[in-house]
Amino acid sequence: MPELLPRARSSQESIFARMSRLAVQYGAINLGQGFPSAAPPAFLLEAARRAVGTADQYAPPAGLPALRDALGADLGVDGADLVVTTGATEALGLLAQALYGPGDEVLMFEPVFDIYLPQARLAGATPVTVPLRLEGEGSWSLDLDDLRAAVTPRTRALLLNSPHNPTGRIFTREELEALVALARQHDLWLISDEVYDELYFGERPLSLRTLAPERTFTVGSAGKRLEATGWRVGWVACPPGFAGNLAGLRQVASFCAPTPFQAAVAAALPIARETGFYGGLREAYVARLDLLAGGLRELGATVFRPSGTYFLMACRPGWEAETLVKRAGVAMIPAEAFAANEAPPPGLLRLAFCKSQAELEEALVRLARWEKAGG
Ligand code: PMP
């Protein structure tokens, strides 16, 4: 019998899928995987109902013109520079295929959103991680000298995620300017994963593209923005002149993203903007963040408060994700899921607060019960 290649053999069930499966199996509250438990907004669902039956065939690989226009208006970029993808996941995979190859190195920050590593390796490249370090309660610091020291003649690209999953960190203007200076000095591509661009709790994050439009590919996700992660609509805003090539590559991956959902997102984007939907979402999430963070602190956990995303990281030595999902009835993601080279401190976990208030309260009750029973 022929054998599978090692790269296929090494693909295992992700920790996110595993924790969701265990949550169902053990009747646990799922604060693991990052998907909202509420239904998407009514204006999005209505747009989808109208689209099914009218927009059912293949879309152009670069995306439905209506969606590229709506996205262009929303993001302040030319619609011709946009490529619609099957979720941000595919966008990041396409960029890996387009921008790196064997022998290349790709810089990224650790803790690292897990798919960046295999996507770089599948492209034949080597991921090189630069650590964000924990500095007491509430902050993850970046030492720009670490980043500069990580650049070699093989470095091709720098992959940034801000607001950052899992830490919730938002990179400052000064840091982004330093990244751009480094990219220009060494002629690197910049990939900016901004899927949480509307989920911030202070000042609006700066988009890297505004500082280096000539070399930045910006990735976004309708699933994250509009609370419909299963719809699989994402996008890449390319530097001028590159969208055609990227669309060519994506047409051999999945040809196009689901057409009715593209049409629905096209209709929903201006409504979301005009009705202040994102602001409402931020308000709701800050309230849930406060609830969860307060409850965790009462249980003795150290909470690293995020500046954006719907995740927080908390540390409680003795807490272990596998035991908690099975015995305490609360699913979380262990920090090891985001580790590449640095061993996370014991008891460091990522919790999603894009869940209902009732679920968060119940999770806290269960954790308190578990603690009282001796853990
Ligand atoms: N980037 C980051 C940082 C994410 O957290 C996620 C989803 N968890 C994605 C990309 C993928 O987004 P999508 O669901 O649109 O594929």
Side-chain angles (χ1 to χ4, degrees), residues 87-89 92 113 116 161 165 193 195-196 221 224 232:
T89 303
L92 291 158
F113 179 53
Y116 298 168
N161 170 216
N165 175 10
D193 178 348
V195 297
Y196 301 105
S221 167
K224 295 291 175 185
R232 314 310 302 135

PDB file of all heavy atoms in Angstrom, residues 87-89 92 113 116 161 165 193 195-196 221 224 232, ligand 1:
ATOM      1  N   GLY A  87     -13.483  32.130   4.576  1.00  0.00           N
ATOM      2  CA  GLY A  87     -13.015  32.418   5.932  1.00  0.00           C
ATOM      3  C   GLY A  87     -11.608  33.005   5.910  1.00  0.00           C
ATOM      4  O   GLY A  87     -10.877  32.912   4.906  1.00  0.00           O
ATOM      5  N   ALA A  88     -11.226  33.603   7.034  1.00  0.00           N
ATOM      6  CA  ALA A  88      -9.868  34.132   7.157  1.00  0.00           C
ATOM      7  C   ALA A  88      -8.850  32.995   7.128  1.00  0.00           C
ATOM      8  O   ALA A  88      -7.702  33.186   6.721  1.00  0.00           O
ATOM      9  CB  ALA A  88      -9.740  34.929   8.446  1.00  0.00           C
ATOM     10  N   THR A  89      -9.280  31.812   7.532  1.00  0.00           N
ATOM     11  CA  THR A  89      -8.372  30.655   7.530  1.00  0.00           C
ATOM     12  C   THR A  89      -7.827  30.413   6.127  1.00  0.00           C
ATOM     13  O   THR A  89      -6.620  30.229   5.939  1.00  0.00           O
ATOM     14  CB  THR A  89      -9.119  29.404   8.041  1.00  0.00           C
ATOM     15  OG1 THR A  89      -9.631  29.691   9.336  1.00  0.00           O
ATOM     16  CG2 THR A  89      -8.218  28.191   8.094  1.00  0.00           C
ATOM     17  N   LEU A  92      -5.386  33.178   5.046  1.00  0.00           N
ATOM     18  CA  LEU A  92      -4.033  33.032   5.603  1.00  0.00           C
ATOM     19  C   LEU A  92      -3.287  31.892   4.904  1.00  0.00           C
ATOM     20  O   LEU A  92      -2.077  31.994   4.655  1.00  0.00           O
ATOM     21  CB  LEU A  92      -4.121  32.782   7.110  1.00  0.00           C
ATOM     22  CG  LEU A  92      -4.610  33.995   7.917  1.00  0.00           C
ATOM     23  CD1 LEU A  92      -5.181  33.578   9.269  1.00  0.00           C
ATOM     24  CD2 LEU A  92      -3.466  34.997   8.090  1.00  0.00           C
ATOM     25  N   PHE A 113      -1.412  32.104  17.206  1.00  0.00           N
ATOM     26  CA  PHE A 113      -2.652  31.470  16.750  1.00  0.00           C
ATOM     27  C   PHE A 113      -2.247  30.212  15.987  1.00  0.00           C
ATOM     28  O   PHE A 113      -1.476  30.281  15.037  1.00  0.00           O
ATOM     29  CB  PHE A 113      -3.455  32.442  15.879  1.00  0.00           C
ATOM     30  CG  PHE A 113      -4.726  31.853  15.348  1.00  0.00           C
ATOM     31  CD1 PHE A 113      -5.644  31.256  16.206  1.00  0.00           C
ATOM     32  CD2 PHE A 113      -5.000  31.858  13.994  1.00  0.00           C
ATOM     33  CE1 PHE A 113      -6.816  30.689  15.720  1.00  0.00           C
ATOM     34  CE2 PHE A 113      -6.165  31.294  13.498  1.00  0.00           C
ATOM     35  CZ  PHE A 113      -7.069  30.708  14.366  1.00  0.00           C
ATOM     36  N   TYR A 116      -1.079  29.287  12.136  1.00  0.00           N
ATOM     37  CA  TYR A 116       0.034  29.936  11.419  1.00  0.00           C
ATOM     38  C   TYR A 116       1.212  28.969  11.230  1.00  0.00           C
ATOM     39  O   TYR A 116       1.914  29.027  10.221  1.00  0.00           O
ATOM     40  CB  TYR A 116       0.561  31.143  12.183  1.00  0.00           C
ATOM     41  CG  TYR A 116      -0.403  32.288  12.405  1.00  0.00           C
ATOM     42  CD1 TYR A 116      -0.064  33.303  13.296  1.00  0.00           C
ATOM     43  CD2 TYR A 116      -1.606  32.380  11.731  1.00  0.00           C
ATOM     44  CE1 TYR A 116      -0.920  34.378  13.521  1.00  0.00           C
ATOM     45  CE2 TYR A 116      -2.467  33.449  11.962  1.00  0.00           C
ATOM     46  CZ  TYR A 116      -2.120  34.436  12.857  1.00  0.00           C
ATOM     47  OH  TYR A 116      -2.944  35.498  13.085  1.00  0.00           O
ATOM     48  N   ASN A 161      -0.824  39.663  14.268  1.00  0.00           N
ATOM     49  CA  ASN A 161      -2.246  39.530  14.591  1.00  0.00           C
ATOM     50  C   ASN A 161      -2.557  40.549  15.691  1.00  0.00           C
ATOM     51  O   ASN A 161      -2.070  40.433  16.803  1.00  0.00           O
ATOM     52  CB  ASN A 161      -2.513  38.087  15.046  1.00  0.00           C
ATOM     53  CG  ASN A 161      -3.889  37.874  15.632  1.00  0.00           C
ATOM     54  OD1 ASN A 161      -4.065  37.097  16.559  1.00  0.00           O
ATOM     55  ND2 ASN A 161      -4.874  38.550  15.091  1.00  0.00           N
ATOM     56  N   ASN A 165      -5.062  37.125  19.201  1.00  0.00           N
ATOM     57  CA  ASN A 165      -5.573  35.888  19.793  1.00  0.00           C
ATOM     58  C   ASN A 165      -4.356  35.026  20.123  1.00  0.00           C
ATOM     59  O   ASN A 165      -3.574  34.756  19.226  1.00  0.00           O
ATOM     60  CB  ASN A 165      -6.474  35.185  18.772  1.00  0.00           C
ATOM     61  CG  ASN A 165      -6.961  33.836  19.249  1.00  0.00           C
ATOM     62  OD1 ASN A 165      -6.802  33.470  20.403  1.00  0.00           O
ATOM     63  ND2 ASN A 165      -7.546  33.080  18.328  1.00  0.00           N
ATOM     64  N   ASP A 193      -3.222  40.004  10.337  1.00  0.00           N
ATOM     65  CA  ASP A 193      -4.471  39.296  10.625  1.00  0.00           C
ATOM     66  C   ASP A 193      -5.279  40.186  11.558  1.00  0.00           C
ATOM     67  O   ASP A 193      -4.965  40.314  12.741  1.00  0.00           O
ATOM     68  CB  ASP A 193      -4.129  37.943  11.268  1.00  0.00           C
ATOM     69  CG  ASP A 193      -5.360  37.143  11.641  1.00  0.00           C
ATOM     70  OD1 ASP A 193      -6.471  37.694  11.627  1.00  0.00           O
ATOM     71  OD2 ASP A 193      -5.197  35.947  11.964  1.00  0.00           O
ATOM     72  N   VAL A 195      -8.733  39.975  12.105  1.00  0.00           N
ATOM     73  CA  VAL A 195     -10.104  39.447  12.164  1.00  0.00           C
ATOM     74  C   VAL A 195     -10.901  40.033  13.337  1.00  0.00           C
ATOM     75  O   VAL A 195     -12.114  40.061  13.295  1.00  0.00           O
ATOM     76  CB  VAL A 195     -10.162  37.901  12.212  1.00  0.00           C
ATOM     77  CG1 VAL A 195      -9.577  37.281  10.961  1.00  0.00           C
ATOM     78  CG2 VAL A 195      -9.503  37.338  13.450  1.00  0.00           C
ATOM     79  N   TYR A 196     -10.205  40.528  14.375  1.00  0.00           N
ATOM     80  CA  TYR A 196     -10.916  41.139  15.517  1.00  0.00           C
ATOM     81  C   TYR A 196     -10.881  42.663  15.439  1.00  0.00           C
ATOM     82  O   TYR A 196     -10.898  43.342  16.462  1.00  0.00           O
ATOM     83  CB  TYR A 196     -10.310  40.639  16.843  1.00  0.00           C
ATOM     84  CG  TYR A 196     -10.385  39.129  16.966  1.00  0.00           C
ATOM     85  CD1 TYR A 196      -9.254  38.333  16.794  1.00  0.00           C
ATOM     86  CD2 TYR A 196     -11.595  38.501  17.207  1.00  0.00           C
ATOM     87  CE1 TYR A 196      -9.332  36.949  16.867  1.00  0.00           C
ATOM     88  CE2 TYR A 196     -11.682  37.113  17.285  1.00  0.00           C
ATOM     89  CZ  TYR A 196     -10.549  36.354  17.111  1.00  0.00           C
ATOM     90  OH  TYR A 196     -10.640  34.980  17.169  1.00  0.00           O
ATOM     91  N   SER A 221     -12.476  38.866   8.589  1.00  0.00           N
ATOM     92  CA  SER A 221     -13.431  37.755   8.674  1.00  0.00           C
ATOM     93  C   SER A 221     -14.832  38.268   8.969  1.00  0.00           C
ATOM     94  O   SER A 221     -15.064  38.913   9.998  1.00  0.00           O
ATOM     95  CB  SER A 221     -12.995  36.802   9.795  1.00  0.00           C
ATOM     96  OG  SER A 221     -14.024  35.886  10.107  1.00  0.00           O
ATOM     97  N   LYS A 224     -16.218  36.661  12.208  1.00  0.00           N
ATOM     98  CA  LYS A 224     -15.895  37.305  13.482  1.00  0.00           C
ATOM     99  C   LYS A 224     -16.679  38.599  13.637  1.00  0.00           C
ATOM    100  O   LYS A 224     -17.260  38.862  14.681  1.00  0.00           O
ATOM    101  CB  LYS A 224     -14.391  37.613  13.554  1.00  0.00           C
ATOM    102  CG  LYS A 224     -13.524  36.373  13.564  1.00  0.00           C
ATOM    103  CD  LYS A 224     -13.662  35.566  14.850  1.00  0.00           C
ATOM    104  CE  LYS A 224     -12.869  34.267  14.762  1.00  0.00           C
ATOM    105  NZ  LYS A 224     -13.055  33.406  15.923  1.00  0.00           N
ATOM    106  N   ARG A 232     -18.217  31.146   6.776  1.00  0.00           N
ATOM    107  CA  ARG A 232     -16.973  31.028   6.019  1.00  0.00           C
ATOM    108  C   ARG A 232     -16.817  32.103   4.945  1.00  0.00           C
ATOM    109  O   ARG A 232     -16.610  31.789   3.759  1.00  0.00           O
ATOM    110  CB  ARG A 232     -16.843  29.613   5.404  1.00  0.00           C
ATOM    111  CG  ARG A 232     -17.152  28.448   6.326  1.00  0.00           C
ATOM    112  CD  ARG A 232     -16.446  28.480   7.676  1.00  0.00           C
ATOM    113  NE  ARG A 232     -15.016  28.515   7.545  1.00  0.00           N
ATOM    114  CZ  ARG A 232     -14.246  29.353   8.267  1.00  0.00           C
ATOM    115  NH1 ARG A 232     -14.754  30.180   9.151  1.00  0.00           N
ATOM    116  NH2 ARG A 232     -12.962  29.336   8.099  1.00  0.00           N
TER     117      ARG A 232
HETATM  118  N1  PMP B   1      -7.173  34.519  12.718  1.00  0.00           N
HETATM  119  C1  PMP B   1      -7.390  34.535  14.040  1.00  0.00           C
HETATM  120  C2  PMP B   1      -6.465  35.298  14.908  1.00  0.00           C
HETATM  121  C3  PMP B   1      -8.470  33.831  14.585  1.00  0.00           C
HETATM  122  O1  PMP B   1      -8.674  33.845  15.904  1.00  0.00           O
HETATM  123  C4  PMP B   1      -9.336  33.121  13.709  1.00  0.00           C
HETATM  124  C5  PMP B   1     -10.507  32.305  14.216  1.00  0.00           C
HETATM  125  N2  PMP B   1     -10.430  31.818  15.489  1.00  0.00           N
HETATM  126  C6  PMP B   1      -9.067  33.137  12.345  1.00  0.00           C
HETATM  127  C7  PMP B   1      -7.975  33.841  11.887  1.00  0.00           C
HETATM  128  C8  PMP B   1      -9.912  32.372  11.367  1.00  0.00           C
HETATM  129  O2  PMP B   1     -11.103  33.059  11.047  1.00  0.00           O
HETATM  130  P1  PMP B   1     -12.217  32.410  10.133  1.00  0.00           P
HETATM  131  O3  PMP B   1     -13.207  31.755  11.030  1.00  0.00           O
HETATM  132  O4  PMP B   1     -12.805  33.548   9.361  1.00  0.00           O
HETATM  133  O5  PMP B   1     -11.566  31.409   9.228  1.00  0.00           O
END
